[in-house]
Amino acid sequence: MFKGFTVAVVALISTAQLDRYLTNGRYTDAAADMLRQIRHAFGF
């Protein structure tokens, strides 16, 4: 379980860094905004 969690975190960080390099973070910022809105919708 820990290995799977670690692999997922590394993959997310790698994808975010690649997005930051290729598109100046446009998609990472949109995903963060979407997660923030989902969190507010559930009251967190």
Side-chain angles (χ1 to χ4, degrees):
M1 185 172 126
F2 182 73
K3 183 179 178 183
F5 179 74
T6 304
V7 169
V9 168
V10 169
L12 286 173
I13 291 172
S14 299
T15 303
Q17 291 299 319
L18 187 62
D19 175 49
R20 188 74 56 193
Y21 177 73
L22 294 176
T23 63
N24 200 21
R26 178 177 39 204
Y27 297 108
T28 304
D29 293 340
D33 289 341
M34 185 175 64
L35 287 174
R36 191 176 307 119
Q37 293 216 356
I38 291 170
R39 192 178 67 210
H40 286 303
F42 284 107
F44 293 119

